[in-house]
Amino acid sequence: AQSVTQPDIHITVSEGASLELRCNYSYGATPYLFWYVQSPGQGLQLLLKYFSGDTLVQGIKGFEAEFKRSQSSFNLRKPSVHWSDAAEYFCAVGFTGGGNKLTFGTGTQLKVEL
Amino acid sequence: EPEVTQTPSHQVTQMGQEVILRCVPISNHLYFYWYRQILGQKVEFLVSFYNNEISEKSEIFDDQFSVERPDGSNFTLKIRSTKLEDSAMYFCASSEDRGLATNEKLFFGSGTQLSVL
């Protein structure tokens, strides 16, 4: 069965600093990979997704993620964090034939210091 | 952007009581889902629903749970006799298509926080 690990439960960065949130997955074939963000009182919003092709994926709000098959990773990055980026971030994996059934990680809570 | 609406945002109930969580999916979507997140744990898939029947369900989704699309717009999750361990954030989601196609994505609601006392 597929699984997702987000090793960092909490991360604090200063506004303007760069950000990298880690995500590792376990799945036998090529997965479909997603990053979602949840702001307080909001639903899960899709930031970006990887299905195939270019391993560097651009998303909304200036985020990007890179799929590295050799490391089974799909880390989320942003070059300069804004205070409004404070939220919880979830990595998720789907698979061929799985429909829209996703397996999520436990999430990383991002705090931004002004 | 269209959105999935969930009501109520918070629900408090007594153990053993029935509770119904409500969701209004995006109007042209055909596939509906419930996920839940127990505090501090992962978001977990509960059930998917299409064409008025369950497509897939997880082992969490036992006989105490049921889903229904009663009127063509709402999508509900019923817990027949709530237990303490049912306390969680419940997310509804919908999609236009079933597969993880390139342009496909799930739209999630903002969740209902269920507290069982």
Side-chain angles (χ1 to χ4, degrees):
Chain A
Q2 65 276 12
S3 66
V4 178
T5 302
Q6 292 180 248
D8 303 306
I9 299 173
H10 296 96
I11 283 185
T12 300
V13 298
S14 299
E15 190 176 37
S18 63
L19 171 71
E20 183 169 27
L21 302 182
R22 296 183 290 167
C23 172
N24 293 96
Y25 69 90
S26 173
Y27 179 59
T30 300
Y32 301 137
L33 295 160
F34 306 79
W35 275 99
Y36 285 85
V37 61
Q38 184 185 22
S39 299
Q42 304 295 312
L44 294 166
Q45 182 183 23
L46 180 66
L47 284 176
L48 48 77
K49 58 190 175 185
Y50 170 79
F51 287 152
S52 64
D54 193 345
T55 56
L56 184 63
V57 180
Q58 302 296 322
I60 62 172
K61 304 184 180 187
F63 285 92
E64 67 177 27
E66 186 171 12
F67 170 56
K68 292 185 177 180
R69 184 189 304 275
S70 61
Q71 299 176 20
S72 297
S73 68
F74 188 58
N75 294 347
L76 182 71
R77 301 194 294 249
K78 187 169 184 178
S80 177
V81 168
H82 188 262
W83 64 267
S84 60
D85 293 325
E88 187 149 22
Y89 292 79
F90 294 94
C91 183
V93 62
F95 55 95
T96 305
N100 280 310
K101 176 184 172 184
L102 300 181
T103 299
F104 284 82
T106 49
T108 297
Q109 185 70 48
L110 174 65
K111 181 180 175 181
V112 179
E113 291 182 332
L114 300 176
Chain B
E1 184 169 79
E3 60 180 30
V4 175
T5 305
Q6 288 187 246
T7 56
S9 56
H10 292 87
Q11 174 96 43
V12 180
T13 190
Q14 295 291 324
M15 189 170 55
Q17 295 295 306
E18 175 184 284
V19 66
I20 297 176
L21 308 183
R22 303 181 191 280
C23 169
V24 179
I26 293 169
S27 60
N28 65 328
H29 284 188
L30 301 176
Y31 297 84
F32 314 110
Y33 310 83
W34 284 100
Y35 284 76
R36 79 171 185 189
Q37 183 185 25
I38 295 172
L39 186 64
Q41 299 185 25
K42 301 183 180 188
V43 176
E44 302 171 291
F45 168 81
L46 291 179
V47 65
S48 59
F49 188 87
Y50 169 71
N51 199 26
N52 283 319
E53 61 182 26
I54 291 173
S55 308
E56 188 174 0
K57 60 183 181 179
S58 72
E59 58 189 25
I60 302 168
F61 195 88
D62 61 21
D63 292 344
Q64 293 297 314
F65 291 89
S66 62
V67 288
E68 191 179 29
R69 190 153 160 80
D71 56 12
S73 61
N74 291 284
F75 178 52
T76 61
L77 174 69
K78 181 191 290 186
I79 308 175
R80 184 166 35 235
S81 178
T82 49
K83 302 187 284 284
L84 295 176
E85 54 264 37
D86 294 327
S87 296
M89 177 73 84
Y90 288 81
F91 292 104
C92 174
S94 70
S95 66
E96 192 172 352
D97 200 350
R98 181 185 183 275
L100 292 169
T102 305
N103 295 315
E104 183 50 51
K105 62 180 179 180
L106 283 177
F107 287 79
F108 282 88
S110 57
T112 293
Q113 181 64 54
L114 176 65
S115 297
V116 182
L117 305 179

